Amino acid sequence: MFTLYPRPVPQVSDHTGEVGKLPVFWRSAEAPEGTPADVAPALYLHGVPTSSDDWLGFLERSGGIAPDLPGFGRSGKPGYLKHTIEEYADFIERFLDELEVQRVRMVVHDWGAVGLAFAQRRPERVERLVVMNAVTFLPGYRWHRTARIWRTPLLGELAMGMTTRRTLRLTTRESNVTPGPMPEAWIEAVLAHFDQGTQRAILRLYRSSPSSVLAAAGERLGALNMPALVVWGERDPYIPARFAQAYADVLHAELLSLPDAGHWWWYDRPDAIERVVEFLTAP
C-alpha cells in the first residue's frame, strides 16, 4: 500500500478544438506545485469503451492532458475514420502538434496502447512511459470473449445494440475485484457517449486488429529506452497477467503488480495512483 500525501489539487479544465477538421475534446490540469519546469506534461490515453473521464483522479494529482480519442466521448465520430492503430498514432502526433506540446510523459491503458505506436514512431517525444493493463502489442495474445464477439460481423452489431445499463452491470461484474459491477458513475459515463459513432469505432478498431497486427504494432518496442513503468491489475479477465511481465521485459521497465485489482485497477486500488504520479513527476 502507498502513503497518500496531502497536496493542493490542480483544477481540471475542459477544452474543445479541432485537429484538421475533426472536433476534439480534452481535459487538462497544471502540474502540481513544486514540479520542475522542465518536466514534460503527462499525456493520458484511455481505452474502450471509455473516455477522458477515466483520468480525472490522475489529472487532479499529476496534471497533464487527456483527450477523448476520435470515436469516443465528446470528440468527433465521423464515418470516414478507419479506427486503425496507425490512424490513432497519426491523431496523437497531430493533436500534440496542435497544442504545441513537443514532449510528453505518456500513460496508456487498454486501447490507449495506440500511444505505443506513436512512441515507436517518435520516441524523442516521449520522456517517460506508463503501461497499465494495455492491449498487448506482443506475440502470443489472443482476443478475449467479448472482443471475439465484437470482431464477428453481425454478432458484433447485435451486441452493440443490446448494450444497456442492465447489460453493462452484468458484463462488468468480472472487470474488477471489488464485488459487483463497475461503479454506477462509470456506467453512467460510458452510456452518456455510447452512441452509434462510438459503437462503429469499437467494431472497426477490433476488426482491424487481429493478433498478427497487434504483434506487428509492437515490433520496435524493444528499441525504446525512456524510463518505463508497468502497472497491472493481475485479476484482469481481458488481458492475462503474464503480459505485464512481458511488457516489463521488452520495455526494460519497473513492474508494479497489483494482485488485488482488475482491469480498471484504480477503482480497486486508488492508493496506487500515487505511484504513477511519483513516476510521472520525477525530475
Side-chain angles (χ1 to χ4, degrees):
M1 304 292 281
F2 302 93
T3 302
L4 300 181
Y5 298 96
R7 60 160 66 97
V9 177
Q11 182 176 352
V12 179
S13 301
D14 295 350
H15 309 269
T16 56
E18 290 188 349
V19 173
K21 295 183 179 179
L22 179 73
V24 178
F25 174 92
W26 71 96
R27 290 184 160 108
S28 72
E30 296 294 326
E33 186 177 344
T35 302
D38 59 346
V39 169
L43 173 68
Y44 289 99
L45 300 175
H46 69 83
V48 171
T50 53
S51 67
S52 60
D53 293 348
D54 275 349
W55 302 121
L56 289 172
F58 291 81
L59 289 169
E60 289 172 350
R61 291 168 172 82
S62 69
I65 309 161
D68 287 357
L69 293 172
F72 295 88
R74 290 136 290 227
S75 286
K77 306 176 184 183
Y80 63 78
L81 292 178
K82 296 178 181 178
H83 299 288
T84 61
I85 293 169
E86 286 303 308
E87 188 178 66
Y88 278 109
D90 291 341
F91 165 78
I92 293 165
E93 183 163 8
R94 294 176 67 198
F95 172 70
L96 294 177
D97 288 346
E98 190 70 28
L99 269 57
E100 299 182 347
V101 173
Q102 294 304 311
R103 292 170 61 81
V104 294
R105 298 186 169 200
M106 191 165 64
V107 182
V108 305
H109 175 255
D110 189 81
W111 262 115
V114 293
L116 299 176
F118 167 74
Q120 291 169 87
R121 179 192 297 180
R122 299 298 302 273
E124 75 280 2
R125 297 188 70 171
V126 182
E127 246 179 38
R128 287 179 170 239
L129 177 62
V130 183
V131 177
M132 311 188 328
N133 291 76
V135 168
T136 306
F137 289 2
L138 297 167
Y141 179 62
R142 296 294 180 268
W143 281 119
H144 54 85
R145 180 182 66 250
T146 302
R148 292 197 300 271
I149 292 172
W150 289 341
R151 284 177 47 78
T152 304
L154 184 58
L155 190 58
E157 281 77 4
L158 289 172
M160 289 294 165
M162 294 173 62
T163 301
T164 63
R165 186 181 311 278
R166 181 174 181 274
T167 56
L168 275 179
R169 285 173 175 163
L170 288 171
T171 57
T172 63
R173 286 187 176 185
E174 64 178 2
S175 297
N176 277 30
V177 174
T178 303
M182 291 293 288
E184 196 64 24
W186 184 93
I187 291 174
E188 282 286 344
V190 169
L191 290 175
H193 307 293
F194 199 75
D195 54 19
Q196 289 185 350
T198 290
Q199 294 171 30
R200 178 174 58 231
I202 293 171
L203 294 180
R204 289 182 179 177
L205 181 55
Y206 278 90
R207 290 173 183 178
S208 67
S209 305
S211 297
S212 59
V213 168
L214 296 180
E219 285 181 341
R220 291 173 289 149
L221 285 173
L224 299 179
N225 59 12
M226 71 282 293
L229 171 67
V230 175
V231 184
W232 209 274
E234 290 186 12
R235 292 172 63 179
D236 185 334
Y238 313 118
I239 310 172
R242 69 179 183 275
F243 287 107
Q245 187 64 61
Y247 262 130
D249 289 344
V250 74
L251 294 170
H252 313 290
E254 177 187 350
L255 172 60
L256 173 60
S257 291
L258 304 173
D260 52 352
H263 186 67
W264 285 273
W265 57 257
W266 53 94
Y267 287 98
D268 291 317
R269 288 288 305 278
D271 59 300
I273 294 175
E274 194 65 27
R275 178 66 190 94
V276 175
V277 172
E278 290 173 357
F279 180 81
L280 291 173
T281 57

